Amino acid sequence: DAKTTQPNSMESNEEEPVHLPCNHSTISGTDYIHWYRQLPSQGPEYVIHGLTSNVNNRMASLAIAEDRKSSTLILHRATLRDAAVYYCILRAAGGTSYGKLTFGQGTILTVHP
Amino acid sequence: NAGVTQTPKFQVLKTGQSMTLQCAQDMNHEYMSWYRQDPGMGLRLIHYSVGAGITDQGEVPNGYNVSRSTTEDFPLRLLSAAPSQTSVYFCASSRAVRLALANEQFFGPGTRLTVL
């Protein structure tokens, strides 16, 4: 399975934008880039996903590099409720890794009031 | 929709005991999976199922069994509990991958298991 690399932790102030980076240099052409987050004592929650083009939804934006070897999750205005562990995951569409989500260590985001 | 539900929320077992963690979803999802999360770590895939009657092993399947007799339910059985199985267990579901390669996975609230 292709792996992702994320910083262990990041900090932000409330109402400021946050850019969470992810490197995935061994990504294959059919892998989707997914982001999930996990709030304390809860199950993971879907944030956003993309394949090649940048994506926006009500929670965040996803910027994907042209060569797809890296991506950035953008929270436009961080709130205290955004404090969580953020996981960047490659979702395989075929082969022996069919449909699986492989979680790494993630980035612990701390948001200061 | 209730989404993905898991029971029990908490469980304490003694070494050697067996038990079943229940997982159910009401979204008619074909794909279901079980993960475990140890303290300070990401989730690791135990078993998964792409549809009723079909299951396969994930990254850490030893000591666990699964079955998928219906689309809605995907129970996880611990055959003989060991302290190394102390963890938080999450069940997840999504639509069939073949229909939309970028399916969102929905996770349950988790079961916190302690094996003494």
Side-chain angles (χ1 to χ4, degrees):
Chain A
D1 291 337
K3 292 186 177 180
T4 62
T5 304
Q6 300 176 250
N8 289 334
S9 62
M10 292 186 66
E11 298 187 15
S12 174
N13 294 319
E14 204 174 5
E15 299 195 2
E16 289 184 354
V18 181
H19 291 234
L20 297 166
C22 181
N23 287 322
H24 29 78
S25 58
T26 60
I27 189 171
S28 73
T30 56
D31 286 344
Y32 276 76
I33 302 161
H34 283 240
W35 283 81
Y36 282 74
R37 72 180 185 180
Q38 188 174 21
L39 280 66
S41 300
Q42 294 188 26
E45 173 189 33
Y46 167 82
V47 178
I48 200 167
H49 73 268
L51 183 61
T52 56
S53 303
N54 294 345
V55 184
N56 300 299
N57 67 19
R58 64 175 179 82
M59 290 182 69
S61 295
L62 176 60
I64 302 173
E66 193 169 340
D67 63 5
R68 299 208 331 124
K69 294 183 184 299
S70 65
S71 61
T72 301
L73 178 69
I74 303 166
L75 306 179
H76 295 288
R77 291 183 64 189
T79 70
L80 296 178
R81 293 177 61 183
D82 290 323
V85 180
Y86 286 79
Y87 296 99
C88 170
I89 299 164
L90 301 183
R91 183 134 193 220
T96 58
S97 300
Y98 188 75
K100 298 178 188 178
L101 288 177
T102 301
F103 286 81
Q105 297 271 19
T107 296
I108 301 171
L109 176 64
T110 301
V111 180
H112 300 289
Chain B
N1 288 347
V4 179
T5 57
Q6 292 184 237
T7 55
K9 285 185 169 33
F10 302 92
Q11 183 69 50
V12 178
L13 292 178
K14 295 181 180 178
T15 297
Q17 287 185 314
S18 62
M19 79 158 294
T20 299
L21 306 185
Q22 301 292 344
C23 174
Q25 52 88 13
D26 60 358
M27 298 172 281
N28 201 32
H29 284 168
E30 291 189 19
Y31 187 90
M32 297 185 73
S33 54
W34 276 102
Y35 294 85
R36 62 176 287 175
Q37 185 172 35
D38 299 322
M41 296 182 66
L43 281 71
R44 291 184 292 170
L45 183 65
I46 304 172
H47 285 286
Y48 66 98
S49 169
V50 299
I54 305 169
T55 64
D56 205 347
Q57 296 182 349
E59 181 185 357
V60 287
N62 292 341
Y64 307 95
N65 274 357
V66 292
S67 59
R68 186 92 180 274
S69 56
T70 67
T71 298
E72 295 77 19
D73 302 298
F74 190 43
L76 178 72
R77 279 183 289 277
L78 279 70
L79 308 172
S80 177
S84 60
Q85 294 179 303
T86 294
S87 189
V88 181
Y89 291 84
F90 292 101
C91 179
S93 74
S94 72
R95 291 184 297 160
V97 174
R98 70 178 184 279
L99 295 178
L101 295 178
N103 283 328
E104 166 187 357
Q105 284 207 10
F106 295 83
F107 284 82
T111 294
R112 296 182 180 275
L113 176 68
T114 301
V115 182
L116 303 175

